[in-house]
C-alpha cells in the first residue's frame, strides 16, 4: 500500500484503538476527511483461529501480536518493575485486539474524590456530564449487561444486549457470598450475548485474552471498517516520531511519521488527535520538544508523563470438591462493587471479581500432553474442573513521582527515544490490596476451598491500565488538556484515552475511554465548523 500522506485530510488521528477509532468514525459521520496513522500492522481476522491455537500452546502467547524487540523497547527503572509489552498491541485495532472486554462505568464518587473524602483530585467533569456519552459508548461497543448492580451509578437507558448468565463457578460463590453478607451482580461485557450485524453471539472459545476467534468480543476494527467504508484512510506501520508546530508554537501543522522503507513523511491536517495510550501519548509529546516548547509539547505545567497510575491485582484461589468448569468461558460474569466507594481516606477502591479462569484449561492440557486416547482423557478429567478463584482490581491514586520519561541513551530503530517507566506502589494501595485479600479469604474459607495461592501486597502486579499521564483540568499550570480534551497550549491538538483521566478508580477503563472519545468528538467537530453538532449524531 501507499504510505504517502493524505492530501485532503482535515483530521489526523494517531492511534487506532477504541479512542482513536471512535473519534475518527464520528468525525467521518459528520462529514470530515480523516486519516489514521498507526504504528503497527494490519492483522488479518482470518488468522485468529491460528492465533488462538498458538496462544494455547506452551510459551509466550503475547508473540501472536508481534510485540517485542527493538521497535517496542522500553526501560523500567522504578522500584516496581513494569512489564509493558505484556500490556499492549501495536496494530490496527490497538490493545482492543487482546483485551478481556469488561466495561463498567466509573462511579459518581470517582469524579469528586477530593471533595467527598479528601483524596486525589476532582475531575473537571461530573458523572452527569458523561452519562449520555456512557450510554452512547455502550451502544458503540455493543455491551451486554443487566441493571442489577445496586452500587452502580444511575442509568438513563437499558443495556444494548442482555447480560450473560452466571457461570458454573459463580453459582458456587453465590450462596457463600450471601452467607457472609456480600452482594453480587452481573458484569457488563463488550461481547455479543446475541447475534448482531457486526458478529454472532459468543460461542465460548475461552481465549478472550489474548484473542477472540469468533469476533463476538468488541474490538475497534468495527468502527475503523465503517470509517474506511465512508472514505477514511488508515496508514499502517507508520509510527509518528514527532508533532510539528507553526512559528507561533500554538498550532500543530503536521505529524512526522516513518515507513518500513525508511522514508519520512509529514501528514498535514486542520485538527490532530493523539490516541496512542497512556505511555505512547506522553512519549510523543515529550519527543516533540522544540525551542518554543523545550520541555515537550503541551507541557508548561510539567504534568506530561507525570501521575502515571495503574490498577493493582489482588487474588486468591485453590481447589474445591465441586465441579467448577474453569476456563469454560474466558471472561467474568459476576462481580461485587460493594467495597468500591471509599468511606474515608483510609483506603482506595476495590472491585471484587469472581474468576472463571482458575486452573488449567482442557484445551491447553490436550495440546501440551504427551499421552493420547483414554490416558489423555483420564488425565484431563483428574486435573480439570476443581479449581476456583477470586480476583480484585485495586485503585492506585496518581502520584507525581510515578512517571513516563524519555531515555537519554536508547532510541528505537526510527531514532525516537524509548519510554522510561518509573513506577512505585504506595503504602495505602498495598493496604487496600491486603483488604481485598481478607475479603477473598472470608469467601473461600466459607466454601472450604483448599487455598493454594495468593497474590497480595508483596506480589501484586498491574492490570495494564495506563492512566493519568496527560490529565485534564481547568488550570493550565496543573494539567495538560482542558475539559474538552484539547491541549491548553495548542489550539488544534486533542488527546483521547485513559491518559487524560484525573483519577482511575478501580473500574476497567475502556468504557470511560470510549465515552470521553465521543465527548471529544463533539468538541472537535464544533471547532471544525459544525457549531450545532449534538450527541444524536452518535
Amino acid at each position: 500500500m501507499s504510505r504517502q500522506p493524505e492530501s485532503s485530510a482535515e483530521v489526523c488521528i494517531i492511534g487506532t484503538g477504541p479512542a482513536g477509532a471512535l473519534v475518527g468514525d464520528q468525525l467521518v459521520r459528520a462529514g470530515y476527511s480523516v486519516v489514521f496513522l498507526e504504528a503497527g500492522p494490519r492483522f488479518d481476522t482470518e488468522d485468529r483461529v491460528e492465533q488462538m491455537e498458538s496462544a494455547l500452546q506452551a510459551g509466550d502467547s503475547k508473540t501472536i501480536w508481534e510485540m517485542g524487540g527493538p521497535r517496542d523497547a522500553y526501560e523500567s527503572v522504578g522500584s516496581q518493575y513494569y512489564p509493558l509489552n505484556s500490556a499492549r498491541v501495536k496494530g490496527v485495532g490497538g490493545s482492543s485486539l487482546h483485551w478481556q472486554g469488561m466495561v463498567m462505568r466509573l462511579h459518581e464518587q470517582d469524579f469528586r474524590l477530593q471533595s467527598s473524602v479528601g483524596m486525589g483530585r476532582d475531575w473537571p467533569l461530573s458523572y452527569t456530564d458523561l452519562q449520555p456519552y456512557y450510554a452512547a459508548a455502550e451502544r458503540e461497543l455493543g455491551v451486554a449487561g443487566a441493571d442489577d448492580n445496586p452500587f452502580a451509578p444511575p442509568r438513563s437507558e437499558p443495556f444494548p444486549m442482555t447480560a450473560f448468565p452466571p457461570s458454573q463457578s459463580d453459582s458456587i460463590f453465590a450462596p457463600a457470598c450471601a452467607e457472609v453478607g456480600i452482594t453480587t451482580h452481573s458484569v457488563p461485557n463488550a461481547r455479543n450475548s446475541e447475534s448482531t450485524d457486526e458478529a454472532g453471539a459468543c460461542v465460548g472459545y475461552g481465549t478472550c485474552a489474548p484473542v477472540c476467534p469468533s469476533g463476538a468480543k468488541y474490538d475497534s476494527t468495527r468502527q475503523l471498517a465503517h470509517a474506511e467504508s465512508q472514505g477514511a484512510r488508515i496508514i499502517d506501520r507508520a509510527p509518528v516520531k514527532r508533532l510539528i508546530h507553526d512559528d507561533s508554537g500554538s498550532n500543530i501543522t503536521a505529524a512526522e511519521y516513518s515507513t518500513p522503507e525508511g522514508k519520512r513523511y509529514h501528514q498535514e491536517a486542520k485538527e490532530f488527535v493523539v490516541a496512542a495510550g497512556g505511555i505512547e501519548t506522553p512519549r510523543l509529546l515529550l519527543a516533540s520538544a522544540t525551542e518554543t516548547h523545550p520541555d515537550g509539547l503541551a507541557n508548561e505545567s510539567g504534568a506530561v508523563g507525570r501521575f502515571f497510575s495503574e490498577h493493582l491485582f489482588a487474588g486468591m484461589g485453590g481447589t474445591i470438591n465441586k465441579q467448577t468448569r474453569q476456563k469454560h468461558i474466558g471472561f467474568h460474569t459476576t462481580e461485587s462493587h460493594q467495597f468500591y466507594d471509599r468511606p474515608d481516606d483510609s483506603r482506595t477502591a476495590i472491585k471484587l471479581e469472581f474468576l472463571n479462569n482458575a486452573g488449567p484449561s482442557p484445551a491447553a492440557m490436550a495440546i501440551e500432553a504427551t499421552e493420547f486416547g483414554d490416558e489423555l482423557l483420564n488425565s484431563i478429567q483428574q486435573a480439570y474442573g476443581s479449581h476456583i478463584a477470586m480476583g480484585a482490581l485495586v485503585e492506585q491514586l496518581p502520584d507525581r513521582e510515578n512517571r513516563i520519561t524519555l531515555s537519554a541513551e536508547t532510541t528505537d530503530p526510527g531514532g525516537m527515544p524509548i519510554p522510561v517507566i518509573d513506577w512505585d506502589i504506595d503504602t495505602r494501595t498495598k493496604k487496600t490490596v491486603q483488604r481485598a485479600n481478607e475479603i477473598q479469604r472470608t469467601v473461600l474459607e466459607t466454601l472450604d476451598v483448599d487455598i493454594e495461592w495468593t497474590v497480595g501486597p508483596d506480589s501484586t502486579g498491574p492490570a495494564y491500565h495506563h492512566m493519568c499521564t496527560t490529565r485534564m483540568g481547568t488550570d493550565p499550570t496543573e494539567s495538560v488538556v482542558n475539559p474538552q480534551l484539547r491541549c491548553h497550549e495548542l489550539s488544534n491538538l486533542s488527546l483521547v484515552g485513559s491518559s487524560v483521566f484525573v483519577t482511575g478508580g478501580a473500574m476497567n477503563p475502556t468504557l470511560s475511554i470510549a465515552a470521553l472519545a465521543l465527548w471529544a468528538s463533539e468538541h472537535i467537530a464544533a471547532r471544525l465548523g459544525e457549531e450545532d453538532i449534538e450527541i444524536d449524531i452518535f
Side-chain angles (χ1 to χ4, degrees):
M1 64 170 290
S2 169
R3 291 186 172 83
Q4 293 188 7
E6 178 62 43
S7 60
S8 62
E10 294 171 280
V11 184
C12 174
I13 299 175
I14 300 162
T16 58
L22 284 163
V23 171
D25 189 33
Q26 297 307 320
L27 294 176
V28 167
R29 291 171 187 263
Y32 297 105
S33 172
V34 173
V35 61
F36 295 91
L37 298 177
E38 168 56 54
R42 187 188 293 263
F43 296 99
D44 191 338
T45 57
E46 297 299 319
D47 294 336
R48 292 189 180 183
V49 171
E50 182 179 342
Q51 288 176 304
M52 175 190 69
E53 294 170 351
S54 174
L56 288 170
Q57 295 180 33
D60 183 7
S61 63
K62 302 299 185 297
T63 58
I64 68 172
W65 299 114
E66 303 178 10
M67 289 301 300
R71 180 197 72 164
D72 307 314
Y74 67 95
E75 296 175 13
S76 180
V77 299
S79 61
Q80 188 82 16
Y81 178 74
Y82 198 89
L84 178 60
N85 284 340
S86 298
R88 56 181 181 167
V89 173
K90 288 183 180 178
V92 177
S95 293
S96 69
L97 296 173
H98 78 158
W99 71 316
Q100 198 171 47
M102 296 184 294
V103 280
M104 307 85 180
R105 300 182 181 193
L106 289 171
H107 283 204
E108 291 175 284
Q109 191 188 53
D110 286 311
F111 296 92
R112 50 180 182 83
L113 194 55
Q114 209 286 326
S115 296
S116 61
V117 292
M119 297 164 61
R121 284 179 176 269
D122 289 350
W123 289 46
L125 305 176
S126 68
Y127 175 77
T128 301
D129 291 329
L130 284 186
Q131 187 173 6
Y133 299 86
Y134 269 127
E138 288 169 345
R139 295 193 298 271
E140 288 286 343
L141 272 58
V143 176
D147 192 8
D148 64 345
N149 180 354
F151 312 105
R155 301 182 58 84
S156 59
E157 57 187 82
F159 286 97
M161 286 181 278
T162 57
F164 286 89
S167 69
Q168 177 76 11
S169 59
D170 288 348
S171 67
I172 297 171
F173 279 119
C177 287
E179 182 176 337
V180 299
I182 294 175
T183 300
T184 61
H185 45 81
S186 63
V187 179
N189 277 280
R191 53 176 49 80
N192 287 5
S193 60
E194 54 199 67
S195 294
T196 66
D197 292 340
E198 287 81 16
C202 173
V203 294
Y205 276 104
T207 60
C208 310
V211 62
C212 173
S214 71
K217 183 186 70 174
Y218 167 83
D219 66 66
S220 62
T221 60
R222 293 184 187 178
Q223 279 79 28
L224 295 171
H226 180 266
E228 284 189 291
S229 73
Q230 302 301 306
R233 183 176 168 213
I234 298 173
I235 304 177
D236 73 342
R237 294 192 290 171
V240 176
K241 300 303 179 182
R242 65 187 180 113
L243 298 172
I244 300 169
H245 60 68
D246 62 9
D247 291 341
S248 72
S250 61
N251 196 64
I252 300 298
T253 58
E256 181 179 302
Y257 64 94
S258 61
T259 70
E261 300 78 27
K263 295 183 178 180
R264 295 245 178 174
Y265 293 110
H266 287 183
Q267 176 62 61
E268 298 179 351
K270 294 179 180 178
E271 288 279 338
F272 291 82
V273 180
V274 180
I279 305 292
E280 294 293 332
T281 292
R283 178 193 183 192
L284 177 58
L285 295 176
L286 294 171
S288 300
T290 63
E291 290 185 4
T292 307
H293 298 286
D295 298 320
L297 293 182
N299 198 27
E300 288 188 10
S301 65
V304 170
R306 295 275 189 179
F307 305 103
F308 173 63
S309 63
E310 256 286 1
H311 294 141
L312 284 305
F313 179 77
M316 190 175 295
T319 56
I320 187 173
N321 190 26
K322 292 182 180 181
Q323 178 57 246
T324 63
R325 299 190 75 194
Q326 81 252 8
K327 297 287 182 78
H328 181 63
I329 56 176
F331 55 94
H332 305 162
T333 47
T334 294
E335 287 187 339
S336 178
H337 297 178
Q338 182 171 332
F339 307 96
Y340 187 90
D341 287 335
R342 307 79 165 163
D344 50 43
D345 63 356
S346 62
R347 67 163 175 84
T348 54
I350 299 171
K351 177 172 74 75
L352 199 63
E353 303 171 335
F354 301 88
L355 307 184
N356 292 317
N357 56 351
S361 72
M365 286 188 285
I367 289 174
E368 298 173 14
T370 58
E371 52 197 1
F372 302 94
D374 291 341
E375 290 184 359
L376 173 60
L377 179 61
N378 289 335
S379 295
I380 292 176
Q381 287 175 335
Q382 290 174 13
Y384 177 71
S386 60
H387 293 261
I388 196 166
M390 295 175 66
L393 292 189
V394 168
E395 175 185 31
Q396 179 184 42
L397 292 176
D399 184 329
R400 184 178 177 82
E401 300 309 310
N402 287 336
R403 63 184 300 199
I404 309 302
T405 57
L406 300 180
S407 174
E409 300 177 353
T410 307
T411 60
D412 66 15
M416 187 177 184
I418 66 171
V420 179
I421 305 169
D422 192 343
W423 184 50
D424 188 22
I425 303 174
D426 60 283
T427 300
R428 177 161 45 190
T429 303
K430 290 183 177 180
K431 287 182 178 179
T432 309
V433 172
Q434 180 62 46
R435 172 60 177 147
N437 286 154
E438 292 168 357
I439 298 166
Q440 291 161 348
R441 183 173 295 278
T442 298
V443 176
L444 295 179
E445 288 182 348
T446 300
L447 287 169
D448 293 324
V449 171
D450 182 9
I451 298 173
E452 298 175 337
W453 59 268
T454 299
V455 176
D458 297 326
S459 57
T460 186
Y464 307 121
H465 300 153
H466 314 142
M467 299 174 289
C468 305
T469 51
T470 62
R471 64 182 184 176
M472 72 173 84
T474 56
D475 185 347
T477 68
E478 296 187 346
S479 57
V480 179
V481 297
N482 66 19
Q484 291 75 45
L485 308 191
R486 181 182 63 79
C487 292
H488 290 298
E489 303 151 36
L490 294 150
S491 63
N492 65 339
L493 178 62
S494 297
L495 310 181
V496 293
S498 55
S499 68
V500 304
F501 287 15
V502 180
T503 53
M507 298 298 177
N508 304 62
T510 302
L511 190 69
S512 296
I513 290 171
L516 287 169
L518 297 178
W519 165 272
S521 301
E522 198 172 68
H523 295 288
I524 294 167
R527 290 201 300 275
L528 285 166
E530 294 293 335
E531 297 294 341
D532 60 347
I533 194 169
E534 295 180 354
I535 188 69
D536 59 10
I537 73 162
F538 302 139

